[in-house]
Amino acid sequence: MKNRNKTKKVFKYFIISFVLTIFASLVFAFENPNFLYEKGFFFLAYFSYIPVLFVIHNSSLKNVWFYGGLYGALSYFFFAFWLINYNPLCMIIACSVYFIILSLVFLLLKYADLIFVKSAWLVQFLIILSYEYLKTPGFLGYNYGVTAYTQWNFTPVIQICDITGVFGLNALIIFPSCVIYAIIQKSLDKRFIRFQKDTDNSLYDCDTHINYVSKYDQALRFSSIKIPVILLSVWIVLFAMTLSYGYFFKKDYSNNRQMTVAAIQHNEDPSLNGNNENLKNLKVLMNLSDEAKGMNPDIKLIIWPETAVVPSIVNNYKSDNKEKSALVDDLLSYLNKRECSFVIGNNHVVKENNKVLDYNSALYFENRQSVYPPNPEIYSKMHLVPFSEEIPWDGKLKDYLLKNGSFIFAKGSRYVNFNKDGLVFSVLICFEDTFTDIARKNVINGARCFINLSNDAWAKEESCQYQHLAMAVFRSVENRVPSIRSTASGQTCIINPDGSIKQMAPAFCKTYVIDTIPVIDVHRKNTFYTRTGDIIALSYCILTGLLLLIKTIIVIINNNRNKNG
């Protein structure tokens, strides 16, 4: 009978944990831009970790890794479902990677739950913050899914990022999950302890009465909700201060000199290749540019998306390949007759040491200068997309990916600033604008505007493009510079220095955006965040490591004392 009851109890907890894990993964997906609502249900982010922490608390150290892996795989399956449209293998890789990562994170969260007891939820809060930062740098760095990015459309709350950065705001958004969990869990623990106290037979045993009182009084003290309630009150005050900062300390750039720009969206199909397709795309880009210029003759800068022109412009000028050479001649002739400057995404080719190196580049042609022969200023992408633009090892995986759409690029080696009549800008290609450090270093280098060239058309989902846009918004706020996004299929837009969207083109159509952006002085003092970087995020990691190390040492010492009598 005891074994049967035990089995029923284990099965009950398994079902509860399994359901909570699936629920948590759905909350994670829907708090971000998703297939139901492309802008995301941002308010869910304030509660998204509550079911996760309950799963961890109710699981054993032996099986908590499974729920972590399940949560990681399902979260990114629901969140990044659009990866299937690019290559199903990429989805398998992403889910597998996050199965492993979240398995380890859940083990660490459970370990904190076991050794800290009273303050476990606070340490778990720090572990979550550390995890969300540590998953972003490096070759496999993936900024998609950082909780604070869900707030991209809540403009007042994100203004604080010019001080704290996105990872500072992350603490403000994640804390309610942890403190509400603590209040609920401690309340449940207190009810359970009182029930146990009322039914404990040791109450009537005079010899054990003192131990009985001590045991339950100590347990009730550990389950006190006083500290979580106080800290929740502190959070409410901090949240109100954050909103006040966003509402009342706005940065006004209306008095700055304004420059009119146009961002082109030609809505190409990335699955179609060949010279005829490249020529067709070029004609669309030129026609849209002329249409935009006709709408507003004051346009000084026209921007084309990532790899908008596929044959290398420089390498195919008067080349032996007649088709490519003719396409380049058409482009150069067009540029040489237009009274404005162009930023063009190009598959730039360099031949050196008997090697041919392909770069994902941005070429800047200054108002009919350096056109014949083509000698534009060039920036080449420095952070390549793993398993799509960069595959670190040879083998069957690399062969498969190359046969199914991946294209290996060489890495750029330096940051580059361009200057258009005092507008000093840097180009962030593709998902480079999702990395805080790349954007920050460009601003330190003198950039006062970001131009992002992207092609997310392969995803065939507007939610994917909104997820990308959400991160671009934060780069403008953190560094207080405007951003211009020219994309193949969306979201082409202009972002103000406060992160608000000034104007955005509809997705999946041939169109353009025309508007003005403020020209910001290169000698302007950088924001606190630009000067200090992700120091807050690093402090999470250091503090978490120290707390876990010190507590582990204390536990080991106490265990040894208990063994010795």
Side-chain angles (χ1 to χ4, degrees):
M1 182 63 72
K2 287 184 178 180
N3 289 336
R4 184 180 297 175
N5 290 337
K6 184 178 179 181
T7 302
K8 285 183 178 180
K9 188 176 180 180
V10 170
F11 183 72
K12 176 184 174 183
Y13 276 106
F14 170 78
I15 293 297
I16 292 172
S17 297
F18 186 78
V19 171
L20 281 176
T21 300
I22 295 174
F23 176 70
S25 63
L26 287 171
V27 171
F28 172 83
F30 288 129
E31 71 190 17
N32 291 283
N34 57 80
F35 58 87
L36 289 181
Y37 181 51
E38 65 273 3
K39 294 184 180 180
F41 302 101
F42 75 93
F43 56 88
L44 293 176
Y46 296 85
F47 315 102
S48 61
Y49 277 104
I50 294 175
V52 167
L53 293 172
F54 272 109
V55 168
I56 289 163
H57 185 73
N58 292 328
S59 303
S60 68
L61 195 60
K62 290 182 179 180
N63 60 28
V64 72
W65 66 270
F66 168 76
Y67 298 114
L70 183 65
Y71 172 74
L74 289 178
S75 293
Y76 280 87
F77 176 80
F78 294 134
F79 168 68
F81 65 95
W82 36 263
L83 278 172
I84 296 174
N85 294 329
Y86 175 67
N87 191 323
L89 182 60
C90 290
M91 172 60 80
I92 293 171
I93 291 172
C95 289
S96 299
V97 167
Y98 277 94
F99 183 95
I100 296 170
I101 291 174
L102 269 299
S103 294
L104 298 175
V105 171
F106 270 47
L107 280 169
L108 196 59
L109 289 167
K110 183 62 183 179
Y111 180 65
D113 189 50
L114 292 173
I115 66 172
F116 283 92
V117 186
K118 187 178 180 180
S119 58
W121 67 276
L122 271 174
V123 181
Q124 290 172 325
F125 168 62
L126 290 172
I127 292 172
I128 292 168
L129 294 176
S130 301
Y131 150 68
E132 290 210 356
Y133 168 69
L134 291 174
K135 81 185 191 75
T136 62
F139 170 71
L140 288 175
Y142 195 61
N143 289 272
Y144 288 73
V146 171
T147 302
Y149 286 133
T150 61
Q151 309 300 299
W152 70 276
N153 207 30
F154 190 3
T155 305
V157 83
I158 68 175
Q159 300 309 305
I160 197 70
C161 290
D162 66 352
I163 299 173
T164 67
V166 66
F167 294 106
L169 179 62
N170 221 27
L172 192 70
I173 308 305
I174 292 173
F175 187 78
S177 286
C178 297
V179 73
I180 291 171
Y181 156 77
I183 291 171
I184 296 172
Q185 186 60 60
K186 288 178 180 293
S187 298
L188 293 173
D189 287 346
K190 185 172 289 189
R191 287 178 62 186
F192 178 75
I193 291 164
R194 283 174 175 161
F195 173 77
Q196 289 290 94
K197 182 177 179 181
D198 292 340
T199 58
D200 196 330
N201 291 329
S202 62
L203 176 64
Y204 305 105
D205 186 342
C206 294
D207 294 333
T208 60
H209 181 66
I210 295 175
N211 290 333
Y212 157 79
V213 172
S214 174
K215 178 177 68 175
Y216 284 112
D217 283 354
Q218 186 180 38
L220 286 168
R221 180 165 54 85
F222 282 167
S223 63
S224 171
I225 64 171
K226 184 178 180 180
I227 291 177
V229 169
I230 291 172
L231 291 178
L232 180 60
S233 302
V234 172
W235 176 86
I236 292 171
V237 172
L238 290 175
F239 190 76
M241 291 173 64
T242 299
L243 288 177
S244 299
Y245 180 79
Y247 276 115
F248 301 115
F249 293 90
K250 294 180 179 179
K251 310 297 188 295
D252 185 10
Y253 295 92
S254 60
N255 292 327
N256 288 52
R257 179 166 66 90
Q258 305 290 311
M259 180 177 291
T260 305
V261 299
I264 308 300
Q265 178 179 296
H266 63 311
N267 197 34
E268 70 157 326
D269 185 343
S271 65
L272 301 177
N273 298 300
N275 195 73
N276 289 337
E277 189 67 23
N278 296 335
L279 186 59
K280 184 180 103 175
N281 287 331
L282 177 62
K283 288 180 179 178
V284 171
L285 288 160
M286 292 190 297
N287 290 337
L288 288 170
S289 300
D290 286 343
E291 188 178 329
K293 187 70 172 172
M295 290 283 291
N296 192 328
D298 293 333
I299 292 172
K300 302 296 183 184
L301 182 65
I302 295 178
I303 301 130
W304 291 2
E306 178 185 12
T307 56
V309 179
V310 174
S312 173
I313 296 171
V314 175
N315 193 55
N316 284 289
Y317 176 66
K318 295 186 182 301
S319 72
D320 294 333
N321 189 315
K322 292 183 180 180
E323 289 183 339
K324 292 182 179 179
S325 180
L327 187 150
V328 170
D329 283 342
D330 286 347
L331 171 64
L332 297 179
S333 175
Y334 172 83
L335 296 177
N336 201 45
K337 296 175 183 177
R338 297 308 182 272
E339 288 288 348
C340 60
S341 300
F342 283 81
V343 175
I344 298 174
N346 182 228
N347 182 9
H348 180 55
V349 175
V350 176
K351 295 180 179 179
E352 57 181 46
N353 299 325
N354 297 320
K355 288 184 177 180
V356 177
L357 300 177
D358 290 277
Y359 291 92
N360 188 346
S361 302
L363 279 55
Y364 175 58
F365 288 91
E366 169 69 34
N367 200 5
R368 299 193 297 180
Q369 297 178 21
S370 304
V371 176
Y372 289 113
N375 187 29
E377 295 179 65
I378 300 173
Y379 166 73
S380 295
K381 187 177 181 182
M382 298 172 66
H383 195 117
L384 302 173
V385 180
F387 304 110
S388 178
E389 296 176 329
E390 181 181 15
I391 304 172
W393 57 81
D394 295 325
K396 292 182 179 180
L397 175 62
K398 183 174 183 178
D399 294 339
Y400 173 82
L401 290 171
L402 289 174
K403 289 178 182 178
N404 289 271
S406 294
F407 188 89
I408 303 301
F409 284 107
K411 280 185 179 181
S413 58
R414 64 189 183 92
Y415 296 101
V416 178
N417 284 339
F418 306 99
N419 191 325
K420 172 60 181 175
D421 299 341
L423 176 70
V424 180
F425 63 90
S426 61
V427 178
L428 306 174
I429 299 176
C430 187
F431 80 151
E432 284 189 319
D433 64 348
T434 71
F435 292 93
T436 58
D437 208 39
I438 294 176
R440 188 178 74 87
K441 286 178 180 177
N442 273 296
V443 174
I444 291 173
N445 198 37
R448 292 297 179 265
C449 174
F450 296 139
I451 291 180
N452 176 248
L453 312 182
S454 289
N455 187 345
D456 292 328
W458 51 267
K460 301 177 183 178
E461 289 289 342
E462 198 167 357
S463 60
C464 168
Q465 295 170 172
Y466 266 107
Q467 289 170 9
H468 190 169
L469 169 65
M471 293 176 277
V473 164
F474 279 80
R475 302 297 84 81
S476 280
V477 178
E478 289 167 343
N479 301 283
R480 291 299 177 190
V481 297
S483 293
I484 310 164
R485 303 189 77 239
S486 176
T487 74
S489 60
Q491 297 333 102
T492 297
C493 65
I494 292 174
I495 305 171
N496 288 319
D498 66 354
S500 59
I501 308 297
K502 192 171 187 182
Q503 189 177 160
M504 184 159 64
F508 300 111
C509 64
K510 295 177 175 63
T511 186
Y512 49 83
V513 165
I514 305 172
D515 217 317
T516 59
I517 59 167
V519 178
I520 298 175
D521 186 1
V522 293
H523 300 295
R524 179 211 67 179
K525 186 177 180 181
N526 288 327
T527 67
F528 181 81
Y529 171 77
T530 304
R531 298 195 303 271
T532 59
D534 292 315
I535 190 169
I536 293 177
L538 291 171
S539 69
Y540 302 150
C541 303
I542 294 170
L543 182 58
T544 301
L546 286 174
L547 287 173
L548 288 171
L549 178 62
I550 292 170
K551 186 63 176 180
T552 299
I553 292 171
I554 291 172
V555 169
I556 291 172
I557 291 171
N558 288 339
N559 285 342
N560 287 334
R561 284 178 177 173
N562 291 335
K563 287 179 182 178
N564 294 328

